[in-house]
Amino acid sequence: MRADARRNRELIVTTAADLFVERGPEVSMEEIARAAGVGVGTLYRHFPDRRALVEAISVDALQRLLDYGRAVSEQDVSGWEALRLIVRRCTELPLALATSVTGGSALPGRAELPGLVQAVNAELEWAAARAQREGTLRRDIPAREVIALISVAVCRPGARIDDPLVRVVFDGLRATGA
Amino acid sequence: MRADARRNRELIVTTAADLFVERGPEVSMEEIARAAGVGVGTLYRHFPDRRALVEAISVDALQRLLDYGRAVSEQDVSGWEALRLIVRRCTELPLALATSVTGGSALPGRAELPGLVQAVNAELEWAAARAQREGTLRRDIPAREVIALISVAVCRPGARIDDPLVRVVFDGLRATGA
Amino acid sequence: MRADARRNRELIVTTAADLFVERGPEVSMEEIARAAGVGVGTLYRHFPDRRALVEAISVDALQRLLDYGRAVSEQDVSGWEALRLIVRRCTELPLALATSVTGGSALPGRAELPGLVQAVNAELEWAAARAQREGTLRRDIPAREVIALISVAVCRPGARIDDPLVRVVFDGLRATGA
Amino acid sequence: MRADARRNRELIVTTAADLFVERGPEVSMEEIARAAGVGVGTLYRHFPDRRALVEAISVDALQRLLDYGRAVSEQDVSGWEALRLIVRRCTELPLALATSVTGGSALPGRAELPGLVQAVNAELEWAAARAQREGTLRRDIPAREVIALISVAVCRPGARIDDPLVRVVFDGLRATGA
DNA sequence: TATGAATGAGTGTTCATTCAT
DNA sequence: GATGAATGAACACTCATTCAT
């Protein structure tokens, strides 16, 4: 892939992600192309249809989340803190587009997706397990379910790390002794 | 209003609500009409445009919720239990259509809406206040905010009373001593 | 025909005529009915379709014009003055609805129409002939054509007796010696 | 603008103008597109809505009229003759669509319109003024009003240079001495 | 007989997608 | 490879007309 083509592709993905966040999921392909400064034709050369574009945005977002999650894991932070950091990152990324990221059932098109979701979940589960060992995260909920829970709380459009909802979820997950 | 017209109106509202829940917010007016067994014209006679239909569904749902909430309040149940009952009812009603029940800012068309939202909130706040007095609901969060929180947790499409999310929110709201 | 039915009929015709003049030819049947204070059903009982209503308005207008023309003819006014009076009356009646009143070709539905048009034309032609004899109307244009001419000038929507157009037409028709 | 796009645009404008003249102002967009041999989408790409199309037709017609008027002015013809030539051209162009050429008040959408109307009026006024100086056009009517008058006579659907109406208007405008 | 609710074909318009330039 | 013009199916909405109450 030529350098300029790759640059166009990235440009389209990030522009589209921004537009979707700002203006809802009904933005037209024409408008996305215009905002990215390319013609529709170019957009369609990179993404055969609208679905493919949404998938690409999701893959991109998950990839960034995974990179971040791994970076966090390599640092010396507690499991609980790691959980918080990753969750904050979630609220900055357009994860809500692909309806249920954790389920992964929504977008069967791209082969990477399940793998990515798996990898992100693994990262989260590892943090959760650590937090449970550290005694800061409730032990009566399986780590797997904790992740599902956090996903629902955080993968809504407009979710924020300091939302009352997110705050209370974290409170609800806090081990009572902590 | 003639009896058959009223019957049609109700039929349309409930059919549309079901369709919106089952198939998302993009169902076409034509399809709604067909599902209700009427012509598009009839649909448009009752609701001048799509917005008006969504509003009617919301008003209807809120009205049912309010009726239920009042019935609950008249029975001899604890504040905490009242909260749970009302929340369960929420998950059975198409409240998510009107974006945010508490804000009520979304649908300025119908005059009843703000009043209904107010009334429902009053009912919820009363239950919450009772629960706080009973020592089952955290006292460090204002009742008003508790309501907002519950609304977010429960007014999502597909929310269920036994969702992990809802469960954890309730856990997070439980007074630590209880 | 019952008295109230007749009253309804007249009410509908005049109301519709006014509405057509005020708001253009696209007013809906529903709106006409509402303005007349009856249901659409009643409107359709009197006039089987929209065309029939327009025809009725035209017939009504022509009838009034004819009545007026005959009244004028029975008075002691010059041919030229009679022409002016009848023309003024034209501008007060909704004649423009039926596109070309003189031609009569437009509305083949009602049997009265050609006869009425004929009668009105006869009245006008008689006035024109007198005016030509009196030496006030150009003799080099056949009376028949004079009438056609006046019709065009005066059967436009919004025509007025003191329009520049109407004024100049009369000037152009004035015998040069007069 | 690409060559084929420009060709399509012109094709649409002229086809639509013809259709409007032949079949009245209610022709459907679908039909216009079909007659022009393009899809509706193409029509709407060029003209965002029906109004815009009518405006474009008017602008086009006025532009042609202006070109013709200027060409006439540059030739050695009398003011009266210039008036007649321009008026004949009017009857060949779809000017009646834009309700009143002189007022120009009708179509505020396109910026060119008032300017074009102005320019055409200027051309006509200049011819009228010359005709008044030449003694062929009545001097007791201001040139401005003469133009308004001619406009009404000639901007009717179906107006023709040899209409009795137009003929008589010209007769009415002729200086009595001429 | 009067009413107004119901009907559904038809209109303007949008937008994902294709394809000539 | 990039562009944006062309396409047409699909949608929201209107309104003349019919028919149950």
Side-chain angles (χ1 to χ4, degrees):
Chain A
M1 189 180 238
R2 260 162 49 180
D4 57 342
R6 171 171 309 278
R7 223 176 308 123
N8 262 344
R9 200 198 131 94
E10 304 254 313
L11 187 56
I12 290 170
V13 169
T14 56
T15 309
D18 288 354
L19 269 184
F20 278 132
V21 168
E22 278 170 37
R23 312 244 304 264
E26 318 222 330
V27 217
S28 80
M29 297 297 267
E30 192 89 32
E31 198 166 4
I32 293 170
R34 194 165 43 245
V38 303
V40 247
T42 305
L43 198 163
Y44 273 92
R45 164 168 294 271
H46 287 291
F47 309 99
D49 58 17
R50 166 175 269 262
R51 244 183 102 79
L53 174 58
V54 171
E55 280 171 12
I57 295 174
S58 302
V59 167
D60 184 74
L62 280 169
Q63 187 60 59
R64 285 164 195 270
L65 184 61
L66 183 56
D67 293 348
Y68 182 81
R70 287 185 172 153
V72 164
S73 295
E74 280 165 13
Q75 285 185 287
D76 181 31
V77 293
S78 69
W80 182 263
E81 184 58 15
L83 234 35
R84 287 201 66 88
L85 286 173
I86 300 179
V87 162
R88 169 189 287 129
R89 190 84 183 101
C90 284
T91 64
E92 300 161 359
L93 292 167
L95 295 171
L97 278 187
T99 328
S100 127
V101 176
T102 51
S105 58
L107 296 166
R110 293 271 298 249
E112 304 95 309
L113 260 173
L116 270 172
V117 171
Q118 275 297 27
V120 167
N121 277 353
E123 218 58 50
L124 280 164
E125 279 181 39
W126 189 58
R130 276 197 296 143
Q132 285 179 325
R133 274 198 310 277
E134 291 162 4
T136 45
L137 180 65
R138 280 166 67 161
R139 290 204 179 91
D140 58 338
I141 304 185
R144 177 170 304 270
E145 205 167 319
V146 169
I147 304 315
L149 187 57
I150 287 179
S151 301
V152 176
V154 114
C155 296
R156 293 166 301 127
R160 294 280 217 71
I161 187 65
D162 51 1
D163 260 4
L165 180 65
V166 176
R167 254 173 35 221
V168 171
V169 166
F170 269 94
D171 281 0
L173 288 173
R174 192 86 185 179
T176 43
Chain B
M1 191 179 229
R2 255 160 55 180
D4 58 341
R6 173 173 305 279
R7 223 176 307 124
N8 261 341
R9 202 199 129 97
E10 306 252 313
L11 186 58
I12 290 169
V13 169
T14 56
T15 310
D18 288 356
L19 269 184
F20 278 133
V21 167
E22 278 169 36
R23 315 244 303 265
E26 317 222 332
V27 215
S28 83
M29 296 297 267
E30 192 88 30
E31 197 165 3
I32 293 170
R34 194 163 42 244
V38 302
V40 245
T42 304
L43 199 162
Y44 276 96
R45 165 173 287 269
H46 287 290
F47 309 99
D49 58 18
R50 169 174 266 264
R51 243 184 100 79
L53 174 58
V54 171
E55 280 172 11
I57 295 173
S58 302
V59 167
D60 184 73
L62 280 170
Q63 187 61 59
R64 285 164 195 270
L65 184 60
L66 182 56
D67 292 347
Y68 182 79
R70 286 185 172 154
V72 164
S73 294
E74 279 165 14
Q75 285 185 288
D76 181 32
V77 293
S78 69
W80 182 263
E81 184 58 15
L83 234 35
R84 286 201 67 89
L85 286 173
I86 299 178
V87 163
R88 169 190 288 130
R89 190 85 183 103
C90 283
T91 63
E92 299 161 358
L93 292 168
L95 294 172
L97 280 186
T99 325
S100 122
V101 176
T102 51
S105 56
L107 296 166
R110 293 270 299 248
E112 303 94 309
L113 261 173
L116 273 172
V117 170
Q118 276 296 28
V120 168
N121 278 354
E123 219 58 51
L124 281 164
E125 279 183 38
W126 189 59
R130 276 197 297 143
Q132 284 179 326
R133 273 200 307 277
E134 293 161 3
T136 43
L137 180 65
R138 278 167 67 162
R139 291 207 179 88
D140 59 336
I141 303 185
R144 177 170 306 267
E145 204 167 320
V146 169
I147 305 315
L149 188 55
I150 288 180
S151 301
V152 176
V154 113
C155 296
R156 292 166 302 128
R160 294 283 216 68
I161 187 65
D162 51 1
D163 259 6
L165 180 65
V166 176
R167 252 174 35 223
V168 172
V169 165
F170 268 94
D171 282 0
L173 287 174
R174 191 87 184 179
T176 43
Chain C
M1 189 179 236
R2 258 161 52 180
D4 58 341
R6 171 170 308 280
R7 222 175 309 123
N8 261 345
R9 201 198 131 94
E10 305 254 311
L11 187 57
I12 291 169
V13 169
T14 57
T15 309
D18 288 354
L19 269 184
F20 278 132
V21 167
E22 277 169 38
R23 313 244 302 266
E26 317 221 331
V27 216
S28 81
M29 297 297 266
E30 193 89 31
E31 199 166 3
I32 292 170
R34 196 165 41 247
V38 302
V40 247
T42 306
L43 198 163
Y44 274 91
R45 164 168 296 270
H46 287 291
F47 309 100
D49 59 18
R50 167 175 267 262
R51 247 185 97 80
L53 174 58
V54 171
E55 280 172 12
I57 295 172
S58 301
V59 167
D60 183 74
L62 280 169
Q63 187 59 59
R64 285 165 195 270
L65 184 60
L66 182 56
D67 293 347
Y68 182 80
R70 286 185 172 152
V72 163
S73 294
E74 280 166 13
Q75 286 185 285
D76 182 30
V77 294
S78 68
W80 182 262
E81 184 58 15
L83 234 35
R84 287 200 66 90
L85 285 173
I86 298 178
V87 163
R88 169 190 287 130
R89 190 85 182 101
C90 284
T91 63
E92 300 161 358
L93 292 167
L95 294 170
L97 278 186
T99 327
S100 127
V101 177
T102 50
S105 58
L107 297 167
R110 291 272 298 250
E112 303 95 309
L113 261 173
L116 272 172
V117 170
Q118 276 296 29
V120 168
N121 277 354
E123 217 59 47
L124 281 164
E125 279 182 38
W126 187 59
R130 277 197 295 143
Q132 284 178 327
R133 274 199 309 278
E134 291 162 4
T136 44
L137 179 66
R138 280 167 65 162
R139 290 206 180 87
D140 58 336
I141 304 185
R144 176 170 306 267
E145 205 167 319
V146 169
I147 303 316
L149 187 54
I150 288 179
S151 300
V152 176
V154 113
C155 296
R156 293 167 302 127
R160 295 281 218 71
I161 187 65
D162 52 1
D163 260 3
L165 179 65
V166 176
R167 255 174 33 222
V168 171
V169 166
F170 269 95
D171 281 0
L173 288 173
R174 191 87 185 179
T176 41
Chain D
M1 190 179 230
R2 257 161 53 180
D4 57 342
R6 172 172 308 280
R7 224 176 307 124
N8 261 341
R9 200 198 130 96
E10 307 252 312
L11 185 58
I12 290 169
V13 169
T14 56
T15 309
D18 288 355
L19 268 184
F20 277 132
V21 167
E22 277 170 37
R23 314 246 301 267
E26 317 221 331
V27 217
S28 82
M29 297 296 267
E30 193 87 30
E31 198 165 2
I32 292 170
R34 195 164 41 245
V38 302
V40 245
T42 305
L43 199 163
Y44 276 94
R45 165 172 287 270
H46 287 290
F47 310 100
D49 58 18
R50 167 174 269 262
R51 243 185 101 77
L53 174 58
V54 171
E55 280 173 10
I57 295 174
S58 302
V59 166
D60 184 73
L62 280 169
Q63 187 61 59
R64 285 165 194 270
L65 183 60
L66 183 55
D67 292 348
Y68 182 79
R70 286 187 172 152
V72 163
S73 294
E74 279 165 14
Q75 285 185 286
D76 181 31
V77 294
S78 70
W80 182 263
E81 185 58 15
L83 235 35
R84 285 202 67 87
L85 286 172
I86 298 178
V87 163
R88 170 191 285 127
R89 190 86 183 98
C90 284
T91 65
E92 299 161 359
L93 292 168
L95 294 171
L97 279 186
T99 328
S100 123
V101 177
T102 51
S105 56
L107 296 167
R110 292 269 300 246
E112 303 94 309
L113 261 172
L116 273 172
V117 170
Q118 276 295 30
V120 168
N121 277 354
E123 218 58 51
L124 280 164
E125 279 181 38
W126 188 58
R130 277 198 296 144
Q132 285 178 328
R133 275 198 307 277
E134 291 161 4
T136 44
L137 179 65
R138 280 166 67 161
R139 290 205 180 90
D140 58 337
I141 303 185
R144 178 169 304 266
E145 205 167 321
V146 169
I147 304 315
L149 188 55
I150 287 180
S151 301
V152 176
V154 113
C155 295
R156 291 166 304 125
R160 295 280 218 70
I161 188 64
D162 51 0
D163 260 5
L165 180 65
V166 176
R167 253 175 33 225
V168 172
V169 165
F170 268 95
D171 282 1
L173 287 173
R174 191 88 186 177
T176 42

